[in-house]
Amino acid sequence: MGSPPYRLGVDVGGTFTDLLLLREDTGETWRAKVPSTPKDQSLAVTQGKDQILSKIPHGADVVLHVVNHGTTVATNVILEQKGAKVALVVTEGYKDILQTRRSQVPGNLASWIIWPKPEPLAPLELTVEAPGRLDTDGTEVRTFDQAIFEERFRPIAKEMPDAVTISLINSFANPVHEEAAKRVVAKLLPNTSVSLSSEVLPELMEYERTITTVVNAYVEPSVRHYLRNLLQSLEGKAKHLRILRSDGGLSSVSLASRFPVTWVLSGPAGGVAGVVSVVADQTRFRNLITLDMGGTSTDVALVENGVPRIRRESKVADLVVKAPSVDVRTVGAGGGSIARVPEVTKALRVGPESAGAMPGPACYGNGGSTATVTDANAVLGYLPRSLLGGTFDLDLDAAKRAVQQVADDLGISLYEAAEGILKVSNETMYGALRLVSVEQGYDPRDFSLVAFGGAGPLHANSLGKLLGAFPVIIPPSPGVLCAFGDAMTLLRHEVGKTFIRVLQQTDKQDILGALDELLEEAKTVMRDEQGVLEEKQLHKFQADLRYSGQAINIPVDVELENLRTTGLAYLRALFEVEHDKLFTYRLSSDVELVNLRVIAEELKTDLPIRKLDHATSVTPPESSVSSKTRLVFEGKDFPDSLMWDRSGLKSGHTVLGPCIISEMDSNTVILPGYRAEVDAVGNILIHEVRVEQGCEDLAVKELDTVTVDIFENALRNARTEMDTLMTRTTMSPAIREQQDEFNVIAEPKGKMLAGQLASFIGGFLDVWKDTIEPGDIFLTNDPYSVSGAVSHHNDWLILMPTHVNGKLIAWTANMGHMTDVGGSVPGSLPCTASSIYEEGIQIPVTKVASGGVWNDDLMELIYRNVRLPDWNRGDVRALVAACTIAGKRMIELYTRFGDNLYFAAIDELLDCNRKAVSSIINTSIADEPAYFEDWIDDDGQGIGPWKLACTMFKKDGRLKFDFSGTDPQSQSSINFYLSVNMFKMFVGVYLLVVYDSSVVANDGFHDLIDVHIPQGSLLKPIRPAAVSCRTHFLARLMDVLSALLGQKSPQFMTAAGFSDSPHFMFSGYRQSGEWFQLYWIGFGGIPGRPIGDGPDGHCLWPAMKAIPNEFLELYYPLRIEVFNTVADSGGPGLYRGGNAQRIFWRFLEEGVISIHDDRWLSKPWGVLGGEPGARSTKVLVKYSKDADHPPREVLGSKQDRIKVSNGDILEWITWGGGGWGDPLKRDPEVVALEVRRRLVTATGARRYGVVLYEDCSVDVKGTASLRDEIRTMPSREKSNDEVFNRGGSWEELRANCLKETGLPAPKSPWEVNLRGPTAQLLWCKEWKEKHDLQKQENYDVAVLLITAGTSTKDCRRAHIYSSRKAWT
């Protein structure tokens, strides 16, 4: 008789390795927990295996049938940055694809000041560009030149990389060039692993495909080594080893070794698999929300009808890779999360910082002294005196000391602080739980919450109460549930392909044929590499769809028979049902098929689960009570609460809260008013006790600090939901990809509670005098109707009131940039408009829906006046959906807290912001006034520069900003109607980001900031002044604000870098007759900052990111030949300014382009000894005129209707960021490294005083000599005396303009006669007269000097001096 069949589940965590042994024929289980061995995780696996086998008869002789292994090996390699040295092969012109990261800076406005940019996993010095180019349909544009590539790769090969990634543009459509490059790499590095993006992720979007493939290569050598060691240790002890994938399936060692990116989130997937096995498969509860809370973080997921939701990407640290994973959302809330109270805001913050394993929470007795979530649980009596079966004693006194410090900072009691820590932590987890439920279109009340992990059961009851998800379920052995899930999981593999077609124009046979090909591939892999016979396989089919123009892909499960019989209508119906569930609306637009996919799984074998003995009584025996404890809940003391030993509870036993159910690896808190019963397989089911049974209502009845912090977290979550919906569903790329949308949640009077660009609602309420009823929807895009809250016609603003029982409780609003709103040019942003009548349709504040009923005729009238009506329809629906969702969240808050607490919390939040900003103003801003001025180079009509001037001073605890000195409004379209509320928000956010970036900024501090803007100035134009080119002053305002604050507080002192927000528009008719229209925003160098270098080719506006070039090439008749950064364009400094972007657009159809840009004449200034960044340039190379010797035309910074033809190239270089600090103090080795990375040239290194040898190593003596020489230069002494280095005076810039830029210098604004409303303003007349007089004085001085025989050089000096007086 053979030995019984056993399978082993293994889950490796950061602190412990959990193992669960399952006897397959009886369902018996054994568990073990051993310390992890981070240096080689296989050692802990082997130790744990030996320990667990010692618990069964003849264990030493048992040969395991299979070991299923969930591991954090790949995850840890990324987190600890201990992966392979990866070389990267990219398409020629794309070397900086990882350096620019789609140009996104995470966070809110001003986050760029404090954001430390991570280093790419494949460094630039190991990046090589491959010749050759493919089109988006896979056709070859330029051949791959093997000889050239081999020559370029040889220096990389000499560096002996551990792994190589090859990721070429459009390789998703054709792998031929990647395969050719691989052959060259294999020749030069025959023993080095190579990852091809066409194999790892054959999907559209070049950055996502590249980073995913680089991650695969980065972790591959480490995981291959690990798996090899593990196989050796299991030799003779296990028949099979399988690795848990991120999507919850298993993979053979062979596949796992080749594609480790598929299991970077292996660990969290095991817990969800365990929930499915022990809850969904064994009970009547099939719809579940999972909560896995550990020491540093919490993972949450959703299971629908026993199947976990899958998403097509995984996030590890700050990296998002496109690999399928269980839809697990992670938040920084764990047992070790640290509680703190920032001095400025005095608000309780919990996490994401963690005490880690060492020293850990204070109660662990390892020297930790800061309060953590675990300490709070200990103080409240929710933990026993010792853990891990009595082997680990807790230091309760240390926990109390740590929590008392938080209490003292908040001015509350010890127990109030402990409860506050738990409530804030719970609110963070609550937000994550809503992300996987409410945000996905699910009502959590239709689900049960399943909590596990070491800390999950402690918080489960409270979170179930918040969610309304009952019963709350605690599985058996929750601390090792991941290992149980690993043991129960099955083999899985998926294959897919990009298949982009408009659904209505696709033959269903093409779809069926493609799925058949994928099916055969999946069957083969499962059979040949996973060992699963075809008859033991289950196959599922999926399609990713979207409305044409969207970027979000929605996967749907496809039944082939339904597709065969019903056809394409079946796919559209599947998609629209899912879209409606996710986003609450449908569109009439075309539906687009994007990807096809086949998932192959091993057929499930039912394994027995051991059942508990059934209790003879509902009440457990007294012998099951391990001890008694004192619990504190909602400020109430519960002495002598029972602590039950879970091992003594049987099926049918029920206990009443408050109490604790304790076991070896976890503790479950049952709150007052709840009961817990044990089911047949050992799950604890927590139910609410009905009120009629005598449960006392313990709801919060008065406002406290913690309630305010919870309210703030809820607002943050609601805002995040708005952003997520907008970026997933809108049609305009500016909103969807570049996130040019800004939302607001406000209280009834219009004060913003959460948002980014200040409340739009105050301006609306000032002008709207009609009724406001439930279900009303308002729309406007008119800057002059809402005091600049909307700044140009492309920004459409939706405003919606939120009522409860007829009472107005909140406002929600969202503004998004429409690609087109009509007007004189495609894109509706004419550079040379003379009035707003040329800028597209004007929509004053208008009620477009009454009581929820749309005025369809009015909306159709509006859409009739734009060039892309379907896009505008879709974007408006998304704006409304986002506002609707936020309104629902405010209703939930109102219902949850009640009327009094709701409005009291709002008042307190506003007051907290006010106190925080007041504190910063009084303690961090000096009393002396600060003045700064900056300019826009021209207005698109040859007039400029135009001055923006501001004086900042402090008086009586208030900051005052006076824009007197700013030039009068322009007769062109560069005017910017600056909303006073918006500017106040800019100031407040800048202050708060530096001192407490976690705070949710609101309008509470507005009375502390006064703003004066002269009527008729560039920043307060008089209607109908044009504003369509206002982007430059909007961006320049940020530079001015940094300069003003930086003069008074060094934390804000950055160089110039906003400088501009370059726009590019391309439109026309294809030869097929189809209209195309592109609106694109470019980015440049972020300035040097107090924390370090400015990132290259990034965006300073919050959350904006570049549109994927492959997306652009797919949908528009163009090709992006070059997309990289420009060496030396960032200003030298101790901290270098970020380099500019270089984009070469090749046009493939005739059309017209428009350009919005600036800083072509002035330079982004450096600070504190740093040098200015480089200018922007635009050159049109007309290959259509002469392919061999094309004429080159230098373009102005603001031009419309530039005709382009097939083959022409626009060479666009944006601006570089200014440098911060003395470049001679920069580490020469850093400069040498940047030369190797092609971010600085060898010549550019000399601007830092660094001399290099030919191999880019530092010439130490030459460097010292050069730096001494530079320090004695007269120009150096002058620049050291200046805070701001502009790279020359305006007169010098104008004198050299034609020579340096190829364009004539602009004409001064005062040389043009005042026209329109400003001609009657007294200050404008005085401004004109002053400059006319100065001009005459300059002339008179020059005449006198010449008459006196003064040299031309001295005359010029005098003229420059006089001119400087005129400018200032």
Side-chain angles (χ1 to χ4, degrees):
M1 186 174 179
S3 61
Y6 291 94
R7 63 171 59 197
L8 181 66
V10 182
D11 178 69
V12 178
T15 307
F16 292 104
T17 293
D18 299 324
L19 302 96
L20 187 133
L21 183 67
L22 172 68
R23 179 166 167 169
E24 297 181 355
D25 56 347
T26 66
E28 292 177 276
T29 60
W30 297 263
R31 53 182 168 158
K33 185 183 285 282
V34 299
S36 294
T37 50
K39 290 186 177 180
D40 184 353
Q41 291 188 7
S42 65
L43 297 177
V45 175
T46 303
Q47 293 166 9
K49 172 199 54 112
D50 293 342
Q51 183 184 119
I52 205 167
L53 287 178
S54 70
K55 298 180 180 182
I56 64 173
H58 310 293
D61 300 325
V62 166
V63 177
L64 298 168
H65 173 240
V66 64
V67 175
N68 292 344
H69 183 22
T71 174
T72 57
V73 170
T75 313
N76 292 344
V77 167
I78 298 170
L79 294 177
E80 297 168 8
Q81 300 183 17
K82 295 180 179 178
K85 183 166 74 171
V86 180
L88 174 62
V89 178
V90 297
T91 297
E92 203 166 49
Y94 279 79
K95 71 177 177 66
D96 296 308
I97 191 167
L98 294 186
Q99 183 77 3
T100 54
R101 297 164 45 99
R102 287 190 66 186
S103 300
Q104 185 180 30
V105 173
N108 295 320
L109 186 70
S111 292
W112 60 273
I113 298 175
I114 60 172
W115 177 62
K117 179 182 173 292
E119 286 291 317
L121 294 185
L124 266 174
E125 63 268 28
L126 293 181
T127 300
V128 62
E129 299 175 62
R133 186 64 149 84
L134 298 173
D135 211 339
T136 188
D137 62 0
T139 58
E140 191 173 67
V141 177
R142 293 192 301 272
T143 59
F144 176 84
D145 191 314
Q146 179 174 326
I148 292 177
F149 177 65
E150 184 171 333
E151 180 183 353
R152 292 177 179 176
F153 193 79
R154 282 190 182 278
I156 301 295
K158 291 179 181 179
E159 297 293 327
M160 298 302 293
D162 302 317
V164 178
T165 288
I166 301 175
S167 183
L168 305 181
I169 293 295
N170 293 324
S171 62
F172 72 91
N174 186 348
V176 60
H177 282 188
E178 287 195 352
E179 291 168 350
K182 182 179 181 179
R183 289 191 289 271
V184 174
V185 172
K187 173 183 173 183
L188 299 178
L189 294 170
N191 299 316
T192 303
S193 65
V194 181
S195 295
L196 302 185
S197 76
S198 54
E199 293 180 353
V200 174
L201 184 70
E203 294 182 9
L204 183 81
M205 295 173 64
E206 67 278 3
Y207 170 74
E208 286 76 4
R209 191 173 63 253
T210 301
I211 189 60
T212 299
T213 312
V214 166
V215 168
N216 194 77
Y218 185 76
V219 302
E220 192 269 344
S222 296
V223 301
R224 188 181 292 275
H225 174 75
Y226 170 71
L227 293 176
R228 183 168 57 246
N229 288 349
L230 185 56
L231 279 172
Q232 290 175 355
S233 69
L234 293 174
E235 190 172 355
K237 302 301 295 181
K239 295 180 180 178
H240 304 287
L241 172 63
R242 297 168 177 171
I243 306 302
L244 185 70
R245 294 159 44 106
S246 302
D247 61 6
L250 291 170
S251 177
S252 67
V253 171
S254 171
L255 282 176
S257 298
R258 282 166 46 208
F259 301 111
V261 73
T262 62
W263 46 284
V264 292
L265 288 182
S266 170
V272 179
V275 168
V276 171
S277 298
V278 79
V279 179
D281 290 348
Q282 302 297 324
T283 73
R284 60 186 176 87
F285 304 109
R286 303 275 294 164
N287 291 335
L288 309 167
I289 300 174
T290 70
L291 176 95
D292 179 4
M293 184 177 181
T296 59
S297 63
T298 296
D299 299 322
V300 301
L302 184 137
V303 177
E304 183 181 21
N305 195 28
V307 179
R309 281 185 64 87
I310 302 295
R311 60 175 171 167
R312 309 310 304 173
E313 63 184 29
S314 307
K315 184 174 183 180
V316 183
D318 65 326
L319 297 174
V320 177
V321 296
K322 294 291 289 283
S325 66
V326 174
D327 189 6
V328 172
R329 306 299 173 95
T330 301
V331 291
S337 293
I338 293 173
R340 67 196 189 286
V341 182
E343 181 63 32
V344 171
T345 55
K346 287 295 183 182
L348 177 59
R349 304 288 183 227
V350 182
E353 297 84 1
S354 174
M358 285 298 294
C363 63
Y364 280 10
N366 293 323
S369 59
T370 54
T372 67
V373 172
T374 297
D375 294 312
N377 276 305
V379 167
L380 295 170
Y382 298 170
L383 289 172
R385 288 283 182 173
S386 59
L387 303 177
L388 299 178
T391 63
F392 187 86
D393 292 332
L394 297 181
D395 186 343
L396 184 57
D397 290 337
K400 288 182 177 180
R401 287 194 297 271
V403 176
Q404 186 63 54
Q405 182 60 55
V406 173
D408 293 343
D409 290 342
L410 291 172
I412 59 178
S413 72
L414 171 69
Y415 294 108
E416 286 176 319
E419 288 205 86
I421 292 169
L422 295 193
K423 287 179 179 178
V424 172
S425 177
N426 286 344
E427 195 67 27
T428 300
M429 291 184 280
Y430 177 52
L433 291 164
R434 292 176 64 89
L435 283 177
V436 297
S437 56
V438 176
E439 189 182 297
Q440 305 302 319
Y442 297 98
D443 186 339
R445 293 170 297 183
D446 297 331
F447 290 73
S448 295
L449 178 66
V450 184
F452 53 99
L458 286 167
H459 297 255
N461 199 161
S462 294
L463 289 167
K465 181 180 177 182
L466 288 173
L467 272 180
F470 287 101
V472 174
I473 302 173
I474 313 298
S477 305
V480 296
L481 186 68
C482 290
F484 185 85
D486 296 343
M488 302 294 287
T489 308
L490 302 169
L491 286 163
R492 174 188 176 102
H493 185 69
E494 74 169 50
V495 292
K497 66 181 297 184
T498 295
F499 192 87
I500 300 175
R501 316 278 173 88
V502 175
L503 191 60
Q504 293 88 325
Q505 301 170 9
T506 305
D507 189 327
K508 73 175 180 181
Q509 294 303 325
D510 291 343
I511 300 173
L512 290 168
L515 288 172
D516 283 342
E517 292 177 7
L518 292 173
L519 176 61
E520 289 305 313
E521 183 181 347
K523 286 179 179 179
T524 301
V525 172
M526 285 291 284
R527 182 188 65 239
D528 297 347
E529 298 198 53
Q530 306 263 56
V532 182
L533 297 176
E534 190 171 324
E535 58 269 23
K536 298 289 186 180
Q537 298 178 26
L538 175 69
H539 304 108
K540 299 177 182 178
F541 303 87
Q542 286 186 343
D544 293 345
L545 300 108
R546 64 188 177 204
Y547 286 119
S548 186
Q550 285 183 329
I552 177 69
N553 298 332
I554 297 180
V556 296
D557 292 323
V558 178
E559 297 290 341
L560 288 190
E561 190 56 36
N562 287 341
L563 177 57
R564 290 190 183 98
T565 57
T566 309
L568 302 177
Y570 165 67
L571 291 179
R572 179 169 188 126
L574 288 174
F575 163 73
E576 292 199 317
V577 167
E578 191 67 19
H579 192 281
D580 192 52
K581 183 170 75 172
L582 287 170
F583 309 120
T584 73
Y585 68 92
R586 304 181 186 194
L587 297 173
S588 59
S589 305
D590 288 342
V591 172
E592 194 170 53
L593 188 58
V594 183
N595 298 308
L596 296 174
R597 189 176 303 108
V598 173
I599 301 166
E601 294 179 339
E602 183 181 10
L603 280 175
K604 194 168 189 176
T605 302
D606 290 333
L607 295 172
I609 298 290
R610 287 291 291 267
K611 304 291 179 69
L612 295 184
D613 293 336
H614 193 77
T616 57
S617 170
V618 172
T619 304
E622 288 189 12
S623 60
S624 298
V625 177
S626 60
S627 63
K628 293 185 179 181
T629 186
R630 176 198 181 195
L631 302 181
V632 178
F633 177 70
E634 296 291 3
K636 187 172 181 180
D637 202 359
F638 295 91
D640 297 326
S641 296
L642 299 180
M643 187 165 288
W644 298 94
D645 182 354
R646 186 169 185 175
S647 64
L649 301 181
K650 297 181 179 181
S651 173
H653 277 151
T654 299
V655 298
L656 293 176
C659 67
I660 308 292
I661 301 175
S662 185
E663 54 192 305
M664 187 271 288
D665 56 2
S666 191
N667 296 276
T668 301
V669 174
I670 313 299
L671 298 176
Y674 293 85
R675 61 181 172 84
E677 64 177 274
V678 182
D679 72 4
V681 293
N683 293 306
I684 296 173
L685 310 179
I686 303 174
H687 299 271
E688 189 172 9
V689 178
R690 294 186 180 278
V691 175
E692 56 263 32
Q693 292 179 290
C695 170
E696 182 181 353
D697 180 13
L698 292 171
V700 179
K701 294 184 176 64
E702 61 183 33
L703 188 69
D704 56 26
T705 301
V706 174
T707 302
V708 175
D709 294 332
I710 290 171
F711 202 96
E712 184 183 50
N713 270 337
L715 288 171
R716 183 185 292 109
N717 292 336
R719 236 210 76 194
T720 299
E721 273 194 80
M722 296 180 79
D723 282 333
T724 301
L725 187 145
M726 290 298 295
T727 55
R728 294 176 71 184
T729 64
T730 45
M731 312 297 271
S732 294
I735 302 176
R736 184 187 64 237
E737 297 291 342
Q738 303 192 302
Q739 299 183 18
D740 191 354
E741 57 89 19
F742 301 95
N743 51 49
V744 162
I745 300 172
E747 50 84 62
K749 295 180 181 179
K751 288 185 178 179
M752 187 184 81
L753 302 176
Q756 287 199 119
L757 294 188
S759 179
F760 314 116
I761 296 158
F764 158 74
L765 291 175
D766 288 342
V767 300
W768 184 260
K769 303 304 178 186
D770 206 341
T771 60
I772 298 171
E773 305 294 339
D776 288 352
I777 301 174
F778 300 88
L779 170 65
T780 185
N781 75 339
D782 180 14
Y784 294 102
S785 290
V786 285
S787 303
V790 174
S791 58
H792 62 175
H793 290 167
N794 289 73
D795 288 341
W796 284 20
L797 172 62
I798 290 286
L799 306 102
M800 294 175 61
T802 300
H803 293 80
V804 173
N805 298 326
K807 180 176 182 176
L808 180 66
I809 67 160
W811 282 93
T812 60
N814 215 348
M815 180 180 73
H817 182 108
M818 304 291 151
T819 297
D820 190 275
V821 295
S824 61
V825 298
S828 315
L829 297 171
C831 296
T832 56
S834 58
S835 74
I836 58 172
Y837 303 113
E838 301 168 58
E839 299 175 0
I841 187 169
Q842 300 175 53
I843 309 171
V845 177
T846 304
K847 186 184 289 190
V848 293
S850 298
V853 179
W854 281 87
N855 186 335
D856 292 325
D857 291 340
L858 174 61
M859 293 307 299
E860 285 307 309
L861 175 65
I862 292 172
Y863 296 141
R864 184 77 172 179
N865 282 274
V866 305
R867 293 178 178 87
L868 299 168
D870 285 345
W871 283 23
N872 292 58
R873 283 191 189 94
D875 292 343
V876 166
R877 293 299 299 272
L879 289 166
V880 170
C883 290
T884 301
I885 282 177
K888 288 180 179 178
R889 302 299 167 256
M890 297 309 290
I891 291 172
E892 290 168 3
L893 276 175
Y894 182 86
T895 304
R896 176 178 169 188
F897 289 100
D899 185 89
N900 290 338
L901 268 185
Y902 173 87
F903 285 108
I906 286 174
D907 290 342
E908 185 64 21
L909 274 176
L910 293 168
D911 189 53
C912 285
N913 254 243
R914 187 184 189 280
K915 290 176 179 176
V917 172
S918 176
S919 173
I920 296 170
I921 290 173
N922 288 321
T923 60
S924 302
I925 305 296
D927 291 333
E928 296 79 14
Y931 173 82
F932 195 74
E933 58 190 32
D934 211 338
W935 292 268
I936 296 298
D937 293 347
D938 75 308
D939 63 357
Q941 298 191 43
I943 310 300
W946 296 84
K947 183 169 70 173
L948 187 162
C950 187
T951 301
M952 179 186 79
F953 57 96
K954 186 171 75 172
K955 185 177 181 181
D956 300 328
R958 301 157 66 92
L959 271 184
K960 299 178 182 290
F961 294 85
D962 185 352
F963 286 93
S964 297
T966 298
D967 283 345
Q969 69 187 50
S970 167
Q971 295 176 32
S972 187
S973 56
I974 60 170
N975 304 296
F976 169 42
Y977 195 148
L978 174 59
S979 162
V980 169
N981 278 350
M982 180 188 295
F983 182 72
K984 288 181 177 182
M985 180 53 59
F986 288 166
V987 175
V989 168
Y990 264 60
L991 297 175
L992 290 169
V993 158
V994 169
Y995 289 98
D996 185 1
S997 60
S998 60
V999 74
V1000 176
N1002 61 45
D1003 284 356
F1005 60 84
H1006 279 202
D1007 68 306
L1008 298 174
I1009 298 172
D1010 294 327
V1011 182
H1012 171 66
I1013 306 173
Q1015 179 82 5
S1017 68
L1018 288 160
L1019 299 183
K1020 197 172 184 179
I1022 300 170
R1023 191 176 189 274
V1027 293
S1028 54
C1029 207
R1030 101 298 185 225
T1031 183
H1032 311 295
F1033 271 118
L1034 170 59
R1036 199 59 44 81
L1037 191 69
M1038 299 296 98
D1039 280 343
V1040 170
L1041 182 57
S1042 294
L1044 289 168
L1045 292 172
Q1047 291 179 59
K1048 300 305 171 189
S1049 188
Q1051 297 94 325
F1052 302 102
M1053 178 56 83
T1054 70
F1058 258 95
S1059 305
D1060 194 7
S1061 182
H1063 293 0
F1064 166 70
M1065 285 148 279
F1066 174 40
S1067 60
Y1069 286 98
R1070 297 178 187 266
Q1071 292 184 7
S1072 62
E1074 179 186 2
W1075 174 258
F1076 64 86
Q1077 186 173 328
L1078 169 65
Y1079 167 70
W1080 174 90
I1081 302 174
F1083 310 120
I1086 287 183
R1089 310 162 289 167
I1091 70 161
D1093 293 351
D1096 305 300
H1098 273 63
C1099 178
L1100 290 86
W1101 288 105
M1104 280 192 176
K1105 56 185 176 182
I1107 303 172
N1109 289 342
E1110 289 179 346
F1111 180 92
L1112 293 173
E1113 293 188 9
L1114 179 67
Y1115 289 101
Y1116 298 96
L1118 51 77
R1119 186 181 309 122
I1120 296 93
E1121 303 278 6
V1122 174
F1123 194 84
N1124 57 22
T1125 64
V1126 183
D1128 295 337
S1129 56
L1134 170 63
Y1135 299 131
R1136 176 176 61 81
N1139 280 336
Q1141 275 188 326
R1142 178 191 287 114
I1143 308 102
F1144 286 6
W1145 305 85
R1146 182 182 290 275
F1147 304 107
L1148 305 181
E1149 296 265 15
E1150 291 184 1
V1152 295
I1153 62 173
S1154 293
I1155 290 173
H1156 284 221
D1157 198 11
D1158 205 69
R1159 290 293 195 201
W1160 64 274
L1161 178 53
S1162 63
K1163 301 174 183 179
W1165 30 266
V1167 295
L1168 305 176
E1171 296 184 20
R1175 298 171 169 131
S1176 66
T1177 62
K1178 285 78 54 187
V1179 176
L1180 182 61
V1181 187
K1182 298 184 178 181
Y1183 285 93
S1184 60
K1185 300 292 186 184
D1186 187 335
D1188 296 324
H1189 303 93
R1192 297 173 62 85
E1193 178 185 352
V1194 178
L1195 300 179
S1197 70
K1198 303 166 188 69
Q1199 282 188 241
D1200 290 324
R1201 303 184 186 89
I1202 305 167
K1203 292 184 178 180
V1204 295
S1205 299
N1206 186 358
D1208 290 349
I1209 288 181
L1210 174 64
E1211 297 180 354
W1212 187 321
I1213 295 176
T1214 64
W1215 30 263
W1220 189 100
D1222 185 353
L1224 300 187
K1225 295 180 180 179
R1226 189 169 177 86
D1227 185 345
E1229 293 297 338
V1230 172
V1231 177
L1233 177 61
E1234 294 208 317
V1235 172
R1236 293 196 294 275
R1237 290 178 170 178
R1238 291 158 289 173
L1239 298 171
V1240 174
T1241 65
T1243 301
R1246 298 182 68 85
R1247 297 173 69 188
Y1248 299 86
V1250 175
V1251 180
L1252 301 175
Y1253 293 113
E1254 287 189 6
D1255 65 353
C1256 289
S1257 61
V1258 177
D1259 178 348
V1260 177
K1261 290 184 178 179
T1263 295
S1265 175
L1266 179 59
R1267 287 186 165 184
D1268 287 342
E1269 179 184 340
I1270 294 174
R1271 287 189 183 99
T1272 60
M1273 291 180 176
S1275 59
R1276 164 82 178 174
E1277 295 175 5
K1278 177 185 174 184
S1279 64
N1280 281 343
D1281 294 334
E1282 298 176 344
V1283 175
F1284 303 98
N1285 182 350
R1286 300 181 186 272
S1289 68
W1290 263 107
E1291 192 60 32
E1292 291 166 333
L1293 294 175
R1294 291 166 65 90
N1296 297 318
C1297 180
L1298 184 62
K1299 176 183 176 182
E1300 294 179 359
T1301 71
L1303 295 169
K1307 187 178 182 181
S1308 300
W1310 56 80
E1311 297 182 51
V1312 179
N1313 291 328
L1314 289 172
R1315 300 284 296 273
T1318 55
Q1320 305 305 315
L1321 294 177
L1322 178 60
W1323 77 268
C1324 293
K1325 292 180 181 179
E1326 292 174 345
W1327 170 87
K1328 181 76 165 62
E1329 290 169 359
K1330 183 185 82 169
H1331 285 294
D1332 286 345
L1333 179 62
Q1334 186 65 57
K1335 181 179 178 181
Q1336 183 62 47
E1337 288 178 358
N1338 291 347
Y1339 176 78
D1340 292 344
V1341 168
V1343 169
L1344 286 171
L1345 290 171
I1346 293 172
T1347 304
T1350 306
S1351 69
T1352 304
K1353 183 176 181 181
D1354 289 337
C1355 285
R1356 175 170 165 73
R1357 285 175 178 166
H1359 177 65
I1360 290 174
Y1361 173 75
S1362 299
S1363 297
R1364 283 179 179 169
K1365 288 179 63 180
W1367 283 106
T1368 57

